[in-house]
């Protein structure tokens, strides 16, 4: 199992219930593909560096998880088409 971190930006054009539903869907996908979540850092609503889809702000989340090596590609394929996910990035942190 490798350690990964998912940086996720969710649209601010949805209500709190829909935002939580998007986050739950992402977490369930991680677990469905054989990963286990170790930490979720909710950064809240923040201003983005540049406008995306006429939005200046987004809800930022950083999710640390452990998963098999082939899992991030599967997760990215699903996040690419998921509603209300503005941007995402899966990275493998440097070994300490």
């Amino acid at each position: 199992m490798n350690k990964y971190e998912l940086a996720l930006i969710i649209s601010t054009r949805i209500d709190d219930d829909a935002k939580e539903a998007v986050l739950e869907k992402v977490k369930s996908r991680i677990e469905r593909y054989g990963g286990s979540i170790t930490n979720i850092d909710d950064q809240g609503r923040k201003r983005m560096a540049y406008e995306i889809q006429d939005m200046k702000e987004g809800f930022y989340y950083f999710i640390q998880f452990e998963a098999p090596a082939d899992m991030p590609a599967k997760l990215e394929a699903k996040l690419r088409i998921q509603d209300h996910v503005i941007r995402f990035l899966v990275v493998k942190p440097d070994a300490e």
Side-chain angles (χ1 to χ4, degrees):
M1 297 284 261
N2 298 319
K3 293 184 179 188
Y4 296 98
E5 182 173 33
L6 168 65
L8 181 70
I9 305 174
I10 298 175
S11 172
T12 56
R13 293 183 179 160
I14 59 176
D15 61 13
D16 287 339
D17 293 335
K19 177 182 69 168
E20 290 301 319
V22 170
L23 187 60
E24 286 300 318
K25 195 169 188 178
V26 170
K27 292 188 320 191
S28 69
R29 281 212 171 107
I30 290 171
E31 292 168 356
R32 185 180 326 147
Y33 294 139
S36 62
I37 297 171
T38 56
N39 187 35
I40 298 176
D41 184 13
D42 180 356
Q43 294 284 312
R45 187 180 190 130
K46 294 178 105 177
R47 185 170 177 81
M48 293 186 278
Y50 54 90
E51 275 190 34
I52 301 171
Q53 301 171 0
D54 296 327
M55 287 182 274
K56 295 180 180 181
E57 294 181 328
F59 293 109
Y60 281 67
Y61 293 92
F62 295 95
I63 303 171
Q64 288 89 28
F65 61 96
E66 294 180 355
D70 64 338
M71 187 270 204
K74 294 177 187 176
L75 180 63
E76 288 176 350
K78 293 296 182 180
L79 288 173
R80 220 171 260 116
I81 59 173
Q82 185 168 341
D83 292 336
H84 308 298
V85 172
I86 299 174
R87 287 287 189 270
F88 64 90
L89 179 66
V90 178
V91 295
K92 186 174 180 182
D94 292 334
E96 295 176 3

